Amino acid sequence: MNAPAQHPPAVRTTCPYCGVGCGVLAKPDSHGGAVIAGDPEHPANFGRLCSKGSALGETLGPETRLLHPMVQSGGALVRTSWDHALDRVANGFARTAREHGPDSVAFYLSGQLLSEDYYVANKLMKGFIGTANVDTNSRLCMASSVAGHRRAFGADTVPGCYADLDRADLIVLVGSNAAWCHPVLYQRMMANKRERGAKLIVIDPRRTATAEEADLFLAVAPGMDTALFCGLLVHLSETQAFDFAYIDVHTTGFAEALTRAQDIAPDVKKTATLTGLATADVARFFEMFTSTPKVVTCYSQGVNQSAQGTDKVTSIINCHLATGRIGRAGMGPFSLTGQPNAMGGREVGGLANQLAAHMTFGHESVDRVGRFWNAKAMARREGLKAVDMFDAISRGEIKALWVMATNPAVSLPRAGHVRAALEKLDLLVISDNVAGNDTVRANAHVLLPAAAWGEKDGTVTNSERRISRQRAFLPLPGEAKPDWWIVTQVARRMGFAEAFAYQSAADVFREHAALSAFENHGTRAFDIGGLASLSDDEFDGLKPVQWPARTATPHEDSRFFAEGGFFTPDGKARMIAPEMPRPHAALSPEFPFRLNTGRIRDQWHTMTRTGLSPKLGGHLPEPFVEVHPDDAMQAGLVAGGFARVTSPYGSCVLKVIISEGQRCGSLFAPIHWSGETASSARIGELVTPATDPYSGQPEAKATPATIEPVAFKYRGFALSRGRLSLPEPTWWARAAVARGQGLLLASNDTPEAWRAISASMFAGTEIAEFVDAIGDIYRMAAFADGRLVGCLFVGPSGNAPQWDVVKSLFEAEAVGETQRRGMLSGKSTDGIADPGPVVCACFGVGLNTICNALADGTAANVESIGKALRAGTNCGSCLPELKKLVSQRSVDHVRAAQAV
Amino acid sequence: MSEPLVIIGNGMAAAKLVEELNARALGRYAVCVIGDEPRLAYNRVLLSSVLAREVSRGDIELKAAGWWRAHGVTLLYGHRAVSIDADIRRVKLANGATLPFGKLVLATGSKAIRLNVPGMDMPGVITFRDLADVASMEQAAKTHRRAAVIGGGLLGLEAAYGLAKAGMQVSVIHLMDRLMERQLDARASAMLKSAVEAKGIEVHLNAETAAIKGPHRAEKVLLKGGGEIAADLVVVAAGIRANSDLAATAGLTINRGIAVDDHMQSSKADIYAIGECAEHRGTCYGLVEPAYEQARVLAGHLAGQNAAYQGSVLATNLKVSGVNVYSAGDFIGAPGTENIVLSDPGLGSYKKLVLKDGKLAGAVLFGDTADGLWYSELIRLGTPVAAMRGDLIFGRALAERSLPKAESPKPLPPKDMAA
């Protein structure tokens, strides 16, 4: 009897993708990966996971990891020791701040960081180096929500919780493709719709997957959400749907807000005109909102990523405040955050316009935090927000930058400008877990290997203010270290050892929790003082917990503001009058389209993680631009062809998808592709640097642009075990495939040229080829030791080779002979019998065919083989071999008979 | 009374003719077969296999002695016919006997060409045509180590393969720049050369024999332009010539071979010729398949059926030195044709299809020849192949599967080749 195999228990952790913050059960397997399942006990997802979360196990491989510190030396990055690397960072930042002042250095952080990582970085910069030049990629994601919350509520506080989505009778999704971007929450909404009959309204310029299930879809004109909600406020007024008791007691600014709304959108008709919607649809929306008390308005990047983002948030919040529909079960405005720890970053103050623990740069707060930290060099004013920060780098004002866990050379507006700016830095430090991305390639001086998801340990906060543990279930690979440790080591080397004496993430968390409660007395919403004295064991075992957590046992599903209690000096909410909405830049004959950017279902950010998953890569493997059929016809675009999209800042070449769901006059392109994953699809390159005046969030969804067709004569694909590079000016997109990688390509190089290119790409292998010069087709497969190691198929664009069959052979690696013979056809050989080596040359009869005939009794001797298969009946040269087969067969029979 | 039918020659064509006649016109003719080799008809294609000891001598007999008897055939092997009197319809044998015939079939085959260079008649220089040659080669292999084969065509390579298998060190001397140039394109030839060399056989291309030297018997082959190759045994396989001497005695028209019409009849009534000795529409064939087709046609004709020979699509479908090779039609590719090439050196496979006007015009296959017959049929029938152009080279199963159901060409009619 064997003892039962010892399986390590599954570790409870949190998904590293969107802001839903789903609980994950991760069970390490024996090959360095993990089996992933949803955590049935986590209140965000109750066991459900989306496609990205489910594929986490495929993204843990070591192939792309940065495994040891590296420094630039003689123009190249070379391996070095932690000691040396940390010294270089500490000395570099100290010297730069000393010589050029503290504002000459900056950190650019990420919603991927854990709260503990965020906390120490923020503390080092704002308390000890003495500048607030700490910003984060969350700026690109939800800064307008933060600004909108703070303006209205006096604090960056999400009033409701996920349970409201289960209990609402009407859910309004504004600028949110939740079906793809927050799939688990979307499923909760769908369950509510199914089980309770809740209605769904989707407001989005683009008919996304989310709109499929909507009871009402409003294809609002880009940037005109504010007009719609102003119209709604006016309608609420006219139908006497206001809750004057709430307005009177708990808000100020009502009259101004309503007057402004009336100026902007005095009636349904005007609202319809401004928003480009049918009057009846607008009226129906107003009526549904007005008549349904339990309404949750969720908003996401479509609202936030705008030069009027804060006003959009404001106009939504105004409608909820005016109806008192806030902080009560099934009601409220609800910001759905993009990143796993955008909320945690906001909590620690990881934005340039926040200090720490939801405190701002008021004199009192600076003093308070300074005392708590025992910091002598407190930053006293806001630092530079992301776009401004990179402009300051470009102007040479910021000379040293530390980028943690993000890829600004891809994701920021005018990404090309950002890349050029990075190259001007005296010191560019990058801590990340990947060895190569576009930012790393922009002149990094020091690379620090950071722990990745599955290795790091700490906390994250999701969209409903729920703090969950992210736990390690894998050992740290190579010399990788957690970010909090790295920052702490640098801080110590800069002379701040006492203030950075942390030995663990738990140490950091306790201090963070204590600061949230420090001199709080209920004046600040963010208070997790109840968790400040968790023991290490209690921290390890911490269950998901919502803030506020003033005591160690806070409420489940807490809500804010049902009874007022705003975090303004007078405790009242501010109803703000929004500006007349208009996109920042006007369209012109040169740039007549609005370029909208966004995500797709199965990729995350710049694909450094999701790009590793073959499963996820299969959904939409090529970077694309979505175009309305009328626009496509006018511009001469064909479905499946290519187009160059150009803005004043740059251009990309993308595959064309023609879709009725796309708004006429608008283009949509995903944000995920980078210089690492595609030849010409870094869409950030095109995005306008215009930002919201309050939040500093870039207008990522309304850049004026133009589109023109690009013709490639040939298309194809390549598969390889290792990394392949294709010659300029090939158009390519990288896609993950199992046991290697795939490139989809388009080119004007002839198949004959590709023959030469592939010969050098796969030099030293055995090459099988298919050449049809007149048909303009070239296909090749490379083998080493009988195993398929790569291939390249090129053919005319009109008849582009499909890679499905070849890809599955490539992923299987060991290729059977029949499969190999048929492989370059690109078609499946399933069901085609393998005749085996030819025995009868005249009739092409194979060994297997003959043996089968002998085995199944079709033939018993040379003569009957001839009758059945014709083998041996012409020249007769194979007759001796047939005789041998027949006698061999009889011997086998006898043996088999004896064996029985 | 049965009409006397005399067949001169006891090779593969003759055996096939008798077999076909028995199937079609049993009892109509009293058949007599005359052969100068002192043995029953055997499969000449397998001579190199005998030499290579892959098969025994007995295994290559086409029909057992009992078969001939049972079918009432008078078998005069070991007898040489020396002349024919067409007027009185008599065949005279070397022993002086004469045989009367009503119908006469010449199936005398061909003989190896001997080069016109010094030393050709020296001991140790032989040709490779029959079992006697095999015996001499086997004998030589026992006592000598080095052999040279002059001629890099099928026959020469087969001889080289057999000799190498029999343990000799073999060099092939070939006049042209590639092996089997009449059956293979450059690439297939190069692959064949590698395959042959992998068997330990040296290949000398562009090499013309100047003389064979040795005081008493062959010791070396001298090449034009210098160079010599040591050889105790020299096998000359530089081509064949139709055996038409006997036909000349009958006053038949002879060009490169005995001229025959579509009924395989020579210039004189009731005298026919089939196999390598015959010339049909200007062509002498050197392969077994056309000989069999001719035998079938002639059998039909002699049986009173309406049979006519239209010439053979020249398909080569062979195993050379253990490698399958196939070619048919215009496999080089004349101007105006299109090539599709598939190669996989790891599988030892190379294929080239030549298309013209949407039809298959030729093909050469190396290694993987299983679909050769199918390609031959497509060439012969002129089937349009445009719809399956992309998959054609991957073989019948894949190509036909990719066709829309309605467009699938009808299954090819099986050619009546069954014994």
Side-chain angles (χ1 to χ4, degrees):
Chain A
M1 282 279 288
N2 293 326
Q6 291 296 309
H7 289 297
V11 173
R12 290 207 134 77
T13 183
T14 327
C15 177
Y17 294 124
C18 75
V20 176
C22 295
V24 166
L25 291 173
K27 207 171 191 173
D29 62 22
S30 45
H31 332 286
V35 180
I36 300 295
D39 180 354
E41 289 175 27
H42 198 287
N45 58 316
F46 299 108
R48 279 187 291 265
L49 286 179
C50 73
S51 54
K52 291 186 285 286
S54 304
L56 274 166
E58 290 185 10
T59 67
L60 302 172
E63 298 81 10
T64 58
R65 291 296 298 273
L66 173 64
L67 294 172
H68 42 73
M70 300 181 87
V71 292
Q72 207 184 84
S73 171
L77 286 163
V78 296
R79 183 175 176 167
T80 189
S81 67
W82 266 113
D83 251 348
H84 181 235
L86 291 167
D87 278 343
R88 176 124 181 233
V89 176
N91 295 340
F93 272 84
R95 191 175 57 238
T96 308
R98 194 168 59 239
E99 290 175 7
H100 303 284
D103 288 340
S104 66
V105 304
F107 288 173
Y108 188 65
L109 311 181
S110 161
Q112 293 288 314
L113 293 173
L114 305 185
S115 297
E116 293 71 20
D117 306 322
Y118 245 129
Y119 179 86
V120 291
N122 190 56
K123 178 180 176 182
L124 172 60
M125 206 56 154
K126 290 179 184 160
F128 294 82
I129 296 177
T131 174
N133 284 344
V134 177
D135 215 46
T136 154
N137 62 14
S138 294
R139 180 70 59 197
L140 313 178
C141 164
M142 35 86 286
S144 296
S145 283
V146 176
H149 288 161
R150 277 170 50 182
R151 238 169 32 160
F153 308 148
D156 176 19
T157 303
V158 174
C161 52
Y162 292 163
D164 294 333
L165 300 172
D166 307 332
R167 299 172 70 175
D169 295 322
L170 174 65
I171 297 168
V172 183
L173 288 170
V174 193
S176 165
N177 185 8
W180 279 15
C181 301
H182 300 97
V184 169
L185 281 190
Y186 184 70
Q187 288 312 315
R188 275 177 88 153
M189 300 175 203
M190 287 300 104
N192 183 358
K193 201 166 166 3
R194 234 177 8 254
E195 288 155 23
R196 293 184 60 257
K199 297 281 188 269
L200 179 69
I201 297 176
V202 174
I203 300 168
D204 197 312
R206 199 162 60 100
R207 179 182 276 278
T208 62
T210 305
E212 297 300 313
E213 299 293 323
D215 296 286
L216 177 63
F217 168 65
L218 300 176
V220 66
M224 299 312 282
D225 316 61
T226 303
L228 187 61
F229 281 88
C230 283
L232 176 59
L233 194 68
V234 173
H235 181 82
L236 291 166
S237 165
E238 284 168 358
T239 52
Q240 289 154 19
F242 286 152
D243 180 345
F244 284 105
Y246 190 92
I247 293 171
D248 288 346
V249 180
H250 299 303
T251 74
T252 64
F254 167 74
E256 293 86 339
L258 180 58
T259 311
R260 179 65 57 79
Q262 281 161 340
D263 289 346
I264 293 171
D267 53 35
V268 173
K269 226 175 144 193
K270 177 75 191 205
T271 309
T273 309
L274 286 171
T275 53
L277 297 167
T279 314
D281 286 345
V282 174
R284 180 145 176 248
F285 165 54
F286 289 176
E287 195 283 317
M288 285 170 81
F289 191 100
T290 307
S291 64
T292 315
K294 285 187 161 184
V295 51
V296 174
T297 307
C298 300
Y299 51 92
S300 192
Q301 263 62 322
V303 164
N304 293 332
Q305 292 180 333
S306 160
Q308 315 81 37
T310 306
D311 273 357
K312 288 184 188 178
V313 172
T314 292
S315 65
I316 292 169
I317 290 175
N318 283 350
C319 292
H320 279 270
L321 288 173
T323 50
R325 294 173 185 172
I326 187 164
R328 291 153 66 191
M331 301 180 193
F334 205 129
S335 149
L336 300 180
T337 54
Q339 296 211 70
N341 199 31
M343 291 284 275
R346 286 146 71 169
E347 287 153 19
V348 303
L351 288 160
N353 50 342
Q354 297 181 330
L355 177 55
H358 274 200
M359 285 177 271
T360 52
F361 285 91
H363 174 74
E364 218 177 305
S365 297
V366 171
D367 174 64
R368 183 186 305 123
V369 174
R371 281 185 285 112
F372 181 85
W373 280 345
N374 194 20
K376 301 289 179 282
M378 284 301 292
R380 303 203 163 265
R381 56 186 160 81
E382 294 186 3
L384 295 172
K385 303 187 188 93
V387 172
D388 297 338
M389 180 185 282
F390 282 87
D391 280 344
I393 293 169
S394 177
R395 290 192 303 270
E397 291 163 20
I398 291 175
K399 298 174 186 303
L401 176 72
W402 188 346
V403 176
M404 292 184 207
T406 186
N407 199 355
V410 177
S411 51
L412 274 173
R414 276 191 307 168
H417 169 78
V418 167
R419 203 139 95 135
L422 290 171
E423 285 174 12
K424 295 186 182 167
L425 287 162
D426 293 343
L427 178 60
L428 173 57
V429 179
I430 293 169
S431 37
D432 209 315
N433 57 58
V434 294
N437 64 31
D438 293 36
T439 305
V440 168
R441 288 184 213 287
N443 193 34
H445 298 95
V446 185
L447 294 187
L448 303 172
W453 183 80
E455 299 148 18
K456 46 189 189 180
D457 201 59
T459 60
V460 292
T461 307
N462 71 5
S463 294
E464 61 160 352
R465 290 174 276 108
R466 195 177 299 278
I467 297 169
S468 297
R469 290 276 281 111
Q470 233 185 52
R471 293 183 177 89
F473 56 90
L474 295 170
L476 286 168
E479 296 178 24
K481 291 286 188 187
D483 286 286
W484 70 263
W485 181 91
I486 301 171
V487 177
T488 297
Q489 295 302 311
V490 169
R492 289 180 190 173
R493 279 158 212 260
M494 292 178 79
F496 313 125
E498 212 175 309
F500 291 84
Y502 315 112
Q503 296 300 314
S504 66
D507 284 347
V508 181
F509 180 80
R510 281 186 287 261
E511 182 179 309
H512 166 53
L515 175 59
S516 75
F518 185 61
E519 298 174 3
N520 186 323
H521 315 304
T523 57
R524 308 194 302 269
F526 179 65
D527 185 343
I528 55 168
L531 308 174
S533 51
L534 293 180
S535 69
D536 286 357
D537 283 349
E538 286 167 336
F539 179 72
D540 282 345
L542 184 66
K543 290 193 166 139
V545 54
Q546 246 188 337
W547 62 260
R550 296 191 173 90
T551 65
T553 51
H555 296 293
E556 273 303 309
D557 294 341
S558 64
R559 296 184 179 88
F560 282 91
F561 312 136
E563 306 298 330
F566 294 93
F567 296 93
T568 50
D570 59 5
K572 290 187 179 186
R574 303 284 181 264
M575 288 183 69
I576 311 281
E579 299 296 322
M580 178 72 191
R582 62 176 63 84
H584 188 270
L587 300 180
S588 64
E590 196 184 350
F591 299 109
F593 291 92
R594 287 262 170 232
L595 173 64
N596 181 1
T597 68
R599 306 183 201 173
I600 61 173
R601 189 189 73 198
D602 287 354
Q603 295 297 347
W604 175 257
H605 280 196
T606 63
M607 289 167 59
T608 53
R609 190 203 311 276
T610 46
L612 304 177
S613 162
K615 219 186 290 163
L616 297 180
H619 179 219
L620 287 166
E622 291 159 303
F624 62 88
V625 57
E626 215 173 273
V627 190
H628 186 272
D630 294 350
D631 291 338
M633 182 154 354
Q634 189 123 37
L637 305 171
V638 289
F642 293 85
R644 184 183 312 280
V645 180
T646 307
S647 84
Y649 312 102
S651 76
C652 284
V653 177
L654 306 167
K655 201 173 159 188
V656 174
I657 292 182
I658 296 176
S659 157
E660 294 277 357
Q662 182 57 48
R663 203 185 157 76
C664 205
S666 284
L667 309 171
F668 173 83
I671 61 170
H672 306 293
W673 278 269
S674 68
E676 294 288 305
T677 48
S679 57
S680 178
R682 201 158 49 166
I683 204 74
E685 198 107 27
L686 278 61
V687 171
T688 170
T691 57
D692 179 273
Y694 307 100
S695 69
Q697 181 154 359
E699 178 150 84
K701 291 176 176 291
T703 306
T706 185
I707 188 165
E708 62 184 337
V710 174
F712 289 106
K713 255 182 109 170
Y714 306 103
R715 295 187 47 191
F717 63 83
L719 294 161
S720 70
R721 298 294 162 205
R723 195 184 170 82
L724 273 189
S725 303
L726 299 179
E728 301 266 4
T730 311
W731 183 96
W732 55 266
R734 212 178 286 282
V737 300
R739 302 178 186 211
Q741 56 175 291
L743 291 171
L744 294 157
L745 63 93
S747 166
N748 286 319
D749 286 334
T750 60
E752 191 55 35
W754 280 103
R755 187 178 184 192
I757 294 164
S758 60
S760 67
M761 277 191 322
F762 295 105
T765 63
E766 197 173 78
I767 291 179
E769 293 182 299
F770 172 89
V771 184
D772 179 350
I774 302 289
D776 259 350
I777 298 170
Y778 178 69
R779 304 173 190 154
M780 59 82 69
F783 294 88
D785 303 323
R787 302 183 87 74
L788 179 59
V789 296
C791 59
L792 182 126
F793 279 47
V794 177
S797 282
N799 183 22
Q802 301 299 308
W803 76 352
D804 308 84
V805 172
V806 184
K807 194 163 70 138
S808 63
L809 290 178
F810 177 79
E811 290 178 338
E813 208 163 358
V815 177
E817 200 168 304
T818 306
Q819 290 170 319
R820 179 163 170 172
R821 286 188 194 285
M823 189 180 143
L824 293 178
S825 71
K827 296 195 174 138
S828 169
T829 54
D830 290 355
I832 288 179
D834 173 12
V838 171
V839 175
C840 169
C842 297
F843 294 113
V845 186
L847 180 64
N848 295 352
T849 311
I850 294 165
C851 289
N852 291 344
L854 288 170
D856 67 19
T858 311
N861 52 42
V862 172
E863 287 70 33
S864 52
I865 290 173
K867 285 217 170 70
L869 306 171
R870 294 158 81 193
T873 58
N874 191 40
C875 80
S877 301
C878 60
L879 288 172
E881 201 170 339
L882 294 180
K883 273 182 203 162
K884 257 185 237 167
L885 288 173
V886 170
S887 66
Q888 182 64 41
R889 174 75 200 157
S890 356
V891 171
D892 289 347
H893 264 304
V894 173
R895 286 218 184 103
Q898 283 167 345
V900 168
Chain B
M1 234 194 71
S2 301
E3 184 180 359
L5 169 67
V6 173
I7 302 171
I8 304 174
N10 186 21
M12 298 178 78
K16 180 59 76 180
L17 177 62
V18 173
E19 190 180 304
E20 293 286 330
L21 271 174
N22 273 304
R24 294 163 201 254
L26 191 62
R28 180 161 170 176
Y29 296 102
V31 180
C32 173
V33 177
I34 303 164
D36 58 357
E37 280 193 76
R39 52 180 59 86
L40 291 170
Y42 58 84
N43 186 338
R44 209 175 293 279
V45 177
L46 288 174
L47 283 178
S48 59
S49 301
V50 173
L51 183 59
R53 294 193 191 153
E54 289 168 352
V55 297
S56 70
R57 276 180 164 68
D59 274 342
I60 68 168
E61 260 174 24
L62 290 168
K63 302 287 175 196
W67 184 89
W68 297 102
R69 266 200 305 278
H71 290 86
V73 177
T74 307
L75 206 50
L76 297 176
Y77 57 71
H79 289 272
R80 198 157 63 83
V82 291
S83 64
I84 298 162
D85 189 327
D87 297 332
I88 58 164
R89 301 192 176 213
R90 288 279 192 284
V91 175
K92 189 174 178 194
L93 303 185
N95 65 0
T98 59
L99 293 172
F101 65 83
K103 303 257 192 295
L104 175 68
V105 179
L106 295 167
T108 49
S110 59
K111 56 179 176 248
I113 295 171
R114 288 204 169 230
L115 300 178
N116 187 21
V117 298
M120 259 304 141
D121 48 2
M122 204 172 266
V125 180
I126 59 170
T127 57
F128 182 41
R129 278 305 290 168
D130 55 30
L131 274 168
D133 295 331
V134 171
S136 336
M137 286 158 78
E138 281 176 331
Q139 194 55 43
K142 281 182 197 150
T143 49
H144 296 89
R145 293 217 42 250
R146 304 190 55 99
V149 175
I150 299 174
L154 172 65
L155 203 61
L157 293 176
E158 287 292 83
Y161 175 68
L163 287 168
K165 279 274 201 170
M168 293 192 84
Q169 225 173 314
V170 185
S171 301
V172 172
I173 299 163
H174 192 52
L175 188 59
M176 309 302 286
D177 61 353
R178 59 179 212 258
L179 298 174
M180 286 182 72
E181 71 281 351
R182 285 203 282 181
Q183 290 87 17
L184 300 178
D185 69 354
R187 189 150 166 201
S189 283
M191 289 176 78
L192 180 62
K193 178 166 178 273
S194 303
V196 167
E197 285 169 340
K199 300 238 157 33
I201 298 168
E202 270 180 41
V203 178
H204 302 266
L205 297 177
N206 300 310
E208 189 174 353
T209 304
I212 295 165
K213 287 279 178 189
H216 309 299
R217 58 170 287 136
E219 278 181 8
K220 59 192 174 190
V221 178
L222 300 185
L223 301 178
K224 276 190 186 153
E228 56 180 60
I229 291 158
D232 326 298
L233 174 70
V234 178
V235 179
V236 183
I240 54 170
R241 185 182 300 130
N243 264 329
S244 53
D245 299 351
L246 189 61
T249 66
L252 306 180
T253 304
I254 294 161
N255 305 317
R256 286 160 64 201
I258 305 162
V260 295
D261 63 13
D262 290 356
H263 298 124
M264 310 314 295
Q265 183 171 288
S266 71
S267 56
K268 292 200 171 169
D270 295 332
I271 301 181
Y272 302 88
I274 56 172
E276 292 176 356
C277 67
E279 179 192 306
H280 174 260
R281 298 186 188 174
T283 302
C284 291
Y285 295 96
L287 293 166
V288 68
E289 195 176 324
Y292 279 5
E293 281 187 54
Q294 292 169 357
R296 267 187 292 273
V297 167
L298 180 54
H301 177 72
L302 292 175
Q305 294 162 351
N306 194 6
Y309 179 65
Q310 306 291 338
S312 294
V313 171
L314 255 193
T316 307
N317 207 351
L318 302 164
K319 203 167 198 169
V320 189
S321 297
V323 182
N324 290 304
V325 299
Y326 164 94
S327 70
D330 173 20
F331 60 85
I332 298 293
T337 60
E338 303 168 9
N339 290 347
I340 298 176
V341 175
L342 176 67
S343 61
D344 189 339
L347 295 175
S349 165
Y350 163 70
K351 303 180 181 189
K352 181 170 87 180
L353 301 183
V354 178
L355 277 69
K356 188 171 197 308
D357 303 329
K359 293 172 183 172
L360 191 62
V364 55
L365 308 177
F366 184 95
D368 181 4
T369 58
D371 287 294
L373 190 70
W374 183 52
Y375 294 136
S376 292
E377 294 293 338
L378 291 175
I379 295 169
R380 192 171 66 87
L381 298 173
T383 312
V385 295
M388 53 180 167
R389 175 189 176 113
D391 296 325
L392 194 59
I393 207 161
F394 297 96
R396 182 177 195 166
L398 210 132
E400 290 192 346
R401 193 167 67 173
S402 69
L403 283 180
K405 284 281 174 287
E407 283 182 39
S408 291
K410 290 197 186 73
L412 294 166
K415 249 169 62 174
D416 179 22
M417 284 188 177

